[in-house]
Amino acid sequence: SAVISQKPSRDICQRGTSLTIQCQVDSQVTMMFWYRQQPGQSLTLIATANQGSEATYESGFVIDKFPISRPNLTFSTLTVSNMSPEDSSIYLCSVNPGDGNYGYTFGSGTRLTVV
Amino acid sequence: AQSVAQPEDQVNVAEGNPLTVKCTYSVSGNPYLFWYVQYPNRGLQFLLKYITGDNLVKGSYGFEAEFNKSQTSFHLKKPSALVSDSALYFCAVRDMINSGNTPLVFGKGTRLSVIA
């Protein structure tokens, strides 16, 4: 299965600033998925990122707040912009490597605290 | 639209006793079903999946799950619980119609507490 390197693992940020989260996959994948997990809650899909096109955002998430880049088939970034304490969450990226095992792999997550 | 329900926020079980974590799903076609576990300050770890075939699926760490199409359920089970099984468990689904380029939909999670 694919291996994802996600950075940073955690950060404490001042409100009003931005943080960019990176995910590097050890194989080429068509789609990358970005999730948010608020404290004690489930995973909510933020957007789906395809290489060479604009990401597709779920209801409640907008590009100005969560811009995503997907420059190639192994890498993506998610930026959390103009942060507020309500953005404090764990952010995770995920891929389906399409190796026939139908498994989805997840990054280790970025624990963000906004103060 | 796909959805997953985990009706229990918390499950408590004594060490050595069997455990069950419940999951029901809704998809437009046949489902691909998954269980993941999340330990404190850790990422999601894959436990097992149902794609097709035998309704009883065996996975990591002695866990298994039974697919029941008529009840649209995919309950996670383990014959003998360990204290180290204490964690947050997520059920997830994707319909078979769409390709692997579609994301998983997750349940709200069930916190399992195994008491020594």
Side-chain angles (χ1 to χ4, degrees), chain A residues 55-115:
Chain A
T56 302
Y57 289 83
E58 298 298 302
S59 176
F61 298 95
V62 296
I63 188 172
D64 290 345
K65 176 67 175 176
F66 298 100
I68 290 172
S69 78
R70 184 80 202 278
N72 57 54
L73 291 174
T74 64
F75 187 78
S76 179
T77 67
L78 169 76
T79 298
V80 186
S81 302
N82 188 25
M83 289 184 286
S84 67
E86 292 71 34
D87 295 320
S88 297
S89 296
I90 298 173
Y91 293 85
L92 300 104
C93 59
S94 175
V95 301
N96 182 348
D99 57 3
N101 290 326
Y102 306 103
Y104 287 70
T105 304
F106 287 82
S108 55
T110 297
R111 182 178 295 270
L112 171 63
T113 303
V114 184
V115 297

Side-chain angles (χ1 to χ4, degrees), chain B residues 12-81:
Chain B
N12 298 318
V13 63
E15 187 175 32
N17 282 3
L19 70 86
T20 299
V21 183
K22 296 179 180 178
C23 171
T24 58
Y25 67 89
S26 174
V27 296
S28 55
N30 291 319
Y32 290 160
L33 292 156
F34 302 79
W35 276 101
Y36 286 85
V37 60
Q38 186 177 42
Y39 297 99
N41 300 314
R42 302 276 293 277
L44 283 175
Q45 296 182 30
F46 170 77
L47 277 180
L48 50 80
K49 65 181 184 289
Y50 171 81
I51 303 299
T52 187
D54 290 341
N55 289 340
L56 184 63
V57 178
K58 294 188 182 296
S60 306
Y61 313 121
F63 283 93
E64 60 189 27
E66 186 167 11
F67 172 64
N68 187 317
K69 187 172 184 177
S70 63
Q71 296 185 5
T72 62
S73 67
F74 189 57
H75 301 331
L76 181 70
K77 300 182 179 183
K78 187 173 182 180
S80 178

